Amino acid sequence: MSTWGRSIVLALALVATLVAPAHASNQITVSAAEVTLAPGQNTASVDVSWHTDGNQVVQIWIRETGKAAKLWRQQTNGSAAWPYLHAETTTTFELRGGPNFGTVLGTTSSTGRLPGRLSADRTHLALAPGTTGTIDLTWATKLGDAQVWVSHNGNPQKLYAQGPSGTGRITWISRGTTVFTLWSGTAQEHLLDTLVVTADSGATAAFDQPVVNAGGTATVRWTGGEARLVNDDGTETVLSGGSAAISTQGADRKVVRVYEGNQVVSHASVTVLRNSRGWAGFNYLPEHEKRYQDYLDDATWPQVRDQVARDFDVIASTGGTLARVVLWPEKSTPTQSRNLVDLAGIAKQRGVRLVVAFGNSWLTNPNWQSDRKKWAEFTGTSADWMNGYITALETAVPDSVLYYDLQNETSGVRGNQPNLQSAYVAMVYDRTAAPRGKRGISVMHASTDGADLAEALLGKPMDFVDVHGYGNLDLLDGAVRGLRQKFPAATVLVGEIGRSTWDNGVPSDQKEREHADYTRQTLQTLDNLRVPITLAWELYDDPRTPPHPNSIGFGHLTRNRAKPGFGVLCSRWSLVPDCGTLREATSPTPSVLEVDATVPVQPGTLTPNAILRGNGTVRLVITEFDSAGREVGATQTEPVAVGEGLNYLRHRGSDVRLRDETRSVRIVVRAEGSTRLQVDALTAAVR
């Protein structure tokens, strides 16, 4: 062959090499890009296969919607079934190799699909009083025994249609909430999908921002109806012009209601921050064997009331202004509401407001499973249960509750009842006695549940939306931003943060340090996001015998000491910037040790509070100064003997009525006859 001919052959070979398909070495595939769940099943299974060049060891990582990536397999060529494909969730499988498995060699994904789907051309209608509207409903399954049922405003369900698929024009939609449910089986064996349609006046109201700083104004805009500002004393002022600038002085929540006749048809609310640190607090469970709501029973409450009062001293001492209490129907008794009112009064005395969260565990294990047609009755009973507590609190101590969480950690797509919790919230929304401006909800997996909940609540504004921040801080960032998009009129907060400080069932100093670091990093993340409210889980470690494994090490206090994470919280919110720092005398001779802080004040009663450890006796010294910095008075509290455990200077015994000319105070924690002083927290408020 000539040189020219050989060149042609080589050239053709090179071209063939360049256009040949990629080497079949590094590949990962799934058996199906979409898998439909069987009726009644929580998950579906998909087969995953992978192979590489040279039999190198690789890793398979799993990425699920709204969750951090996790390692699944580490081996050479192989295959395995992934049995945890959830409905409407995409799972991505990454093939990783190279040094430290840092190179992604290939990816594939599979999505779980519901066995049935309900949809409509619209799920929100604006209707004039007394009129009806029309929607086009569609349902689709592969099940011949499928049925569509409908309920309006909580009335009993009625059969609308049956068959595997179909469409229907519905002309009788009226104001309120209409819930369509798709079931498999004529006896309603499995719920396949839920569609919530809302109809209202179409009036809108919204503040330009859900969170503002005190000292300025907040702009509210509205359409339809008459707008009225709810004043701090409960009266209302009529607004006009479609927009208004509202003063941020006074209460820390401002609410504007839009009326149609005498009925409130829409509202907007805004959170007012008094300082850059925002509001903070704890999910509250007392250090008691009967801590999960049954401490509110008549037989137990008298035994724990003093401890509860001390606990709220602790919360106030860290700078905490909120406490979240979770209630459950199976643990409720008729008299608990009275004792909850007493607890709310104790909290109010210390400047702490409540978030009351309702967790309906019967949603996932419903008592009404034997007769699914009692769904409307179930939601009505649930609203009545909540109203017993809400009415008692709003009647006796109305300003003690910031808001009511209508369903703790709602999950729109969980278990074999997709969308059920979102539909539940939409059903009880108008049936509860929670005032406008005090309606909230919490979600566990914001990326999936937030979108589902927003769809179910279309046209029903939430004042607070709470995401729970365990585990991965990167996900927390996206969760907060995503919920703000889904609920633009709501205050988005983080209502639970925490990490266990126990290792294999025993307390761990290293885990406590990690807990403190996690708390510090979480607060920084929330600072960057301007989240105005943060609640830690929880105040105490679980004191029960045996303790519950899910909550044993999440507290910031043990029975006798404050953990490092407690110091992180109070350094952020209390007056002492170095909470938990031990101060020791320079000689073994007992002497005087002091910690002090100076704060601006207005006329009123000063309520200082401290948590400390040490020896000897401790008192507070409060010195008052006028606007020119001249001392105008001083007060010393009675000395209190302290030890190495947790010690409290109760605020009630420390109250000081300030002079009219006082504009700042210096608060000194003075240990006398002491060699050790450790201030875990110091706060002060003027009431």
Side-chain angles (χ1 to χ4, degrees):
M1 182 181 293
S2 67
T3 302
W4 182 83
R6 285 194 299 270
S7 299
I8 291 293
V9 172
L10 290 172
L12 290 173
L14 177 61
V15 170
T17 300
L18 293 174
V19 301
H23 214 289
S25 54
N26 302 324
Q27 286 192 349
I28 183 168
T29 59
V30 290
S31 57
E34 292 187 356
V35 180
T36 300
L37 276 66
Q41 296 300 306
N42 298 341
T43 58
S45 181
V46 64
D47 294 328
V48 187
S49 302
W50 62 94
H51 54 85
T52 63
D53 188 21
N55 291 326
Q56 63 172 303
V57 176
V58 292
Q59 289 183 344
I60 311 300
W61 283 70
I62 305 293
R63 287 187 180 273
E64 297 177 273
T65 305
K67 298 182 180 179
K70 60 183 178 183
L71 177 63
W72 180 41
R73 290 283 192 276
Q74 181 170 318
Q75 60 189 84
T76 55
N77 303 334
S79 63
W82 175 254
Y84 306 113
L85 204 61
H86 295 275
E88 304 307 310
T89 299
T90 297
T91 301
T92 299
F93 304 89
E94 291 183 352
L95 180 68
R96 297 185 184 182
N100 299 319
F101 303 101
T103 303
V104 178
L105 305 176
T107 63
T108 188
S109 61
S110 185
T111 302
R113 295 300 184 195
L114 295 170
R117 171 66 69 184
L118 278 167
S119 60
D121 61 330
R122 53 181 177 161
T123 55
H124 178 235
L125 291 77
L127 301 176
T131 64
T132 59
T134 300
I135 65 168
D136 290 325
L137 183 73
T138 302
W139 68 97
T141 75
K142 294 182 180 180
L143 306 171
D145 60 353
Q147 292 185 336
V148 179
W149 290 73
V150 62
S151 171
H152 180 66
N153 282 347
N155 293 313
Q157 294 185 96
K158 295 181 179 180
L159 179 65
Y160 171 72
Q162 52 190 359
S165 62
T167 60
R169 171 155 287 193
I170 298 171
T171 60
W172 40 259
I173 299 295
S174 60
R175 283 194 182 185
T177 302
T178 305
V179 179
F180 296 90
T181 50
L182 178 63
W183 302 84
S184 69
T186 56
Q188 296 185 328
E189 282 87 355
H190 301 293
L191 178 63
L192 305 181
D193 199 9
T194 301
L195 179 71
V196 179
V197 177
T198 58
D200 54 34
S201 69
T204 63
F207 280 90
D208 285 358
Q209 300 179 66
V211 181
V212 297
N213 294 325
T217 59
T219 301
V220 63
R221 305 178 193 278
W222 68 92
T223 62
E226 180 184 74
R228 303 178 194 171
L229 169 67
V230 181
N231 300 314
D232 294 349
D233 61 2
T235 62
E236 296 181 345
T237 299
V238 175
L239 306 176
S240 61
S243 67
I246 306 300
S247 171
T248 59
Q249 299 298 326
D252 47 24
R253 292 285 292 172
K254 302 294 182 181
V255 177
V256 170
R257 298 169 177 165
V258 178
Y259 284 83
E260 183 182 77
N262 293 322
Q263 181 182 6
V264 178
V265 292
S266 186
H267 80 283
S269 56
V270 63
T271 301
V272 181
L273 295 185
R274 298 300 159 195
N275 55 58
S276 60
R277 298 174 298 178
W279 300 347
F282 294 90
N283 286 263
Y284 181 62
L285 297 169
E287 189 190 33
H288 194 275
E289 291 283 335
K290 293 184 176 181
R291 66 197 315 244
Y292 284 96
Q293 186 180 336
D294 42 7
Y295 71 92
L296 293 171
D297 291 343
D298 279 351
T300 309
W301 177 247
Q303 306 167 24
V304 301
R305 190 183 186 280
D306 286 346
Q307 180 193 330
V308 169
R310 185 191 70 175
D311 290 347
F312 277 92
D313 283 337
V314 175
I315 293 173
S317 293
T318 64
T321 53
L322 291 173
R324 186 170 180 266
V325 178
V326 185
L327 304 173
W328 304 89
E330 67 270 27
K331 292 183 175 293
S332 296
T333 63
T335 59
Q336 283 181 355
S337 59
R338 179 178 64 242
N339 297 324
L340 182 60
V341 166
D342 193 14
L343 181 147
I346 291 171
K348 182 180 177 181
Q349 288 174 351
R350 289 145 177 84
V352 178
R353 300 177 73 179
L354 299 184
V355 173
V356 178
F358 298 101
N360 200 329
S361 51
W362 290 337
L363 269 167
T364 51
N365 298 291
N367 283 356
W368 42 270
Q369 278 190 355
S370 60
D371 186 355
R372 299 293 185 118
K373 295 179 181 180
K374 290 189 175 181
W375 159 250
E377 179 183 337
F378 166 69
T379 56
T381 301
S382 299
D384 291 342
W385 159 65
M386 290 188 270
N387 288 344
Y389 293 97
I390 296 173
T391 302
L393 288 164
E394 290 300 311
T395 301
V397 278
D399 56 348
S400 67
V401 178
L402 181 65
Y403 75 93
Y404 298 92
D405 181 344
L406 300 184
Q407 171 57 25
N408 176 56
E409 293 186 352
T410 185
S411 177
V413 279
R414 181 168 67 185
N416 61 358
Q417 297 172 329
N419 306 323
L420 186 60
Q421 294 205 13
S422 297
Y424 165 81
V425 174
M427 292 286 281
V428 301
Y429 181 95
D430 288 315
R431 289 168 175 74
T432 71
R436 292 179 181 269
K438 290 188 177 184
R439 289 168 174 167
I441 195 68
S442 57
V443 299
M444 189 66 180
H445 304 296
S447 60
T448 53
D449 303 336
D452 183 81
L453 187 63
E455 181 180 357
L457 288 170
L458 188 62
K460 296 179 179 296
M462 276 294 175
D463 299 292
F464 295 86
V465 178
D466 169 6
V467 59
H468 293 170
Y470 295 100
N472 193 303
L473 293 180
D474 294 335
L475 296 181
L476 185 58
D477 183 293
V480 170
R481 297 182 190 277
L483 286 174
R484 282 175 172 165
Q485 292 176 350
K486 295 297 182 182
F487 299 92
T491 298
V492 176
L493 64 138
V494 175
E496 291 185 19
I497 63 170
R499 177 168 290 182
S500 178
T501 60
W502 283 48
D503 189 6
N504 294 321
V506 296
S508 165
D509 291 341
Q510 176 60 32
K511 291 295 184 180
E512 287 194 0
R513 288 190 290 270
E514 292 175 2
H515 177 231
D517 289 340
Y518 169 79
T519 302
R520 189 177 294 107
Q521 293 168 17
T522 302
L523 294 178
Q524 184 58 57
T525 297
L526 301 183
D527 269 352
N528 296 338
L529 291 168
R530 291 202 74 227
V531 172
I533 301 173
T534 308
L535 296 168
W537 182 278
E538 56 184 303
L539 190 60
Y540 289 105
D541 280 349
D542 196 325
R544 292 176 298 176
T545 306
H548 193 285
N550 291 341
S551 60
I552 185 172
F554 282 86
H556 284 71
L557 300 175
T558 65
R559 186 178 298 275
N560 295 316
R561 65 185 179 86
K563 296 181 181 180
F566 184 84
V568 173
L569 290 177
C570 78
S571 293
R572 163 72 177 271
W573 288 305
S574 82
L575 301 177
V576 181
D578 57 349
C579 287
T581 299
L582 176 63
R583 290 164 172 80
E584 295 186 278
T586 56
S587 69
T589 304
S591 58
V592 175
L593 300 171
E594 293 186 345
V595 175
D596 69 272
T598 300
V599 292
V601 295
Q602 295 296 324
T605 299
L606 179 74
T607 303
N609 196 13
I611 303 175
L612 58 150
R613 288 173 271 179
N615 53 23
T617 60
V618 178
R619 72 171 79 228
L620 296 181
V621 180
I622 297 98
T623 306
E624 303 177 47
F625 302 92
D626 64 14
S627 58
R630 295 184 294 263
E631 181 178 330
V632 294
T635 304
Q636 295 189 31
T637 65
E638 292 297 319
V640 176
V642 298
E644 289 305 311
L646 290 173
N647 301 273
Y648 311 91
L649 294 185
R650 294 294 188 88
H651 80 275
R652 222 177 245 180
S654 308
D655 284 358
V656 175
R657 178 64 187 178
L658 298 176
R659 292 163 173 79
D660 292 340
E661 63 270 28
T662 299
R663 293 297 176 267
S664 66
V665 296
R666 183 172 68 240
I667 304 170
V668 178
V669 180
R670 178 175 295 168
E672 300 164 333
S674 304
T675 58
R676 296 166 57 86
L677 174 63
Q678 184 169 327
V679 178
D680 290 314
L682 173 65
T683 57
V686 177
R687 295 173 175 71

